């Protein structure tokens, strides 16, 4: 919901564990729950905004009001749920075809054919090069300002500014090339150039926690 004009394709799995009638019923139930959730969210946001606007000192809540209005403007398009039998390769291919069909729909994604400025590709290539260099640590973490300085050392990126780099990082974060949690205060100045390492660490952390929770306590 943080991304304006988001598009969500619900996917239901384990169809092979259900009867045909059950699949239809569960599909209807899931879509109904999603609709109810969105309506509740819209109602709650309107309620919070009204409360702030009706407060005795509204000027003290300008930041909150702006944030809520921003959230209110984030529209969400829910596509029809796709039920998939994960044990059937044909169903997987059907899901792939459905996703591709939706992605090519310019009504859903009006900017799908937009051509990126050359500097986006140049920064992307440079970051890939930096991530693969011998001086890059395995964890792939790099300070945002240091990354900017490294990129600026390249002739074709000498004029790269911080704001433009941040825009490009948002794009690279969306496509999964890097991970940048700009909304988290303690991580906003850190860019992860090796997302796979971060994913591995998450898996290890979850694995350790799971093992610890299953061990008998003395």
């Amino acid at each position: 919901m943080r991304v304006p004009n988001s598009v969500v394709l619900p996917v239901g799995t384990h169809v092979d564990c259900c009867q045909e009638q059950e699949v239809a019923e569960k599909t209807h139930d899931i879509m109904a729950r999603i609709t109810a959730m969105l309506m509740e969210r819209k109602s709650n946001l309107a309620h919070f905004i009204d409360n702030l606007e009706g407060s005795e000192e509204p000027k003290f809540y300008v930041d909150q009001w702006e944030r809520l209005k921003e959230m209110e403007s984030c529209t969400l398009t829910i596509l029809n749920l796709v039920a998939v039998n994960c044990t059937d390769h044909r169903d997987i291919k059907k899901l792939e075809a459905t996703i591709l069909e939706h992605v090519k729909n310019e009504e859903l994604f009006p900017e799908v054919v937009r051509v990126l400025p050359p500097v986006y590709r140049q920064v992307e290539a440079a970051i890939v090069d930096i991530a693969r260099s011998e001086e890059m640590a395995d964890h792939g973490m790099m300070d945002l300002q240091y990354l900017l300085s490294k990129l600026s050392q390249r002739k074709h990126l000498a004029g790269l500014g911080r704001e433009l780099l941040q825009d490009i990082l948002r794009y690279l974060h969306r496509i999964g090339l890097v991970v940048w949690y700009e909304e988290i205060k303690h991580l906003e100045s850190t860019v992860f150039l090796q997302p796979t390492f971060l994913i591995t660490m998450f898996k290890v952390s979850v694995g350790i926690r799971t093992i610890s929770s299953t061990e008998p306590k003395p």
Side-chain angles (χ1 to χ4, degrees), residues 170-187:
R170 292 185 187 101
Y171 161 72
L172 296 179
H173 176 86
R174 286 198 297 270
I175 67 173
L177 184 70
V178 304
V179 173
W180 180 40
Y181 296 110
E182 64 170 317
E183 296 179 352
I184 301 177
K185 186 172 182 60
H186 297 297
L187 294 176

Side-chain angles (χ1 to χ4, degrees), residues 84-98:
V84 178
N85 178 354
C86 295
T87 64
D88 189 337
H89 182 69
R90 292 171 299 180
D91 267 22
I92 303 298
K93 298 302 293 183
K94 182 181 72 174
L95 175 60
E96 290 179 356
T98 301

Side-chain angles (χ1 to χ4, degrees), residues 2 108 118 190:
R2 295 180 179 179
L108 292 174
T190 302

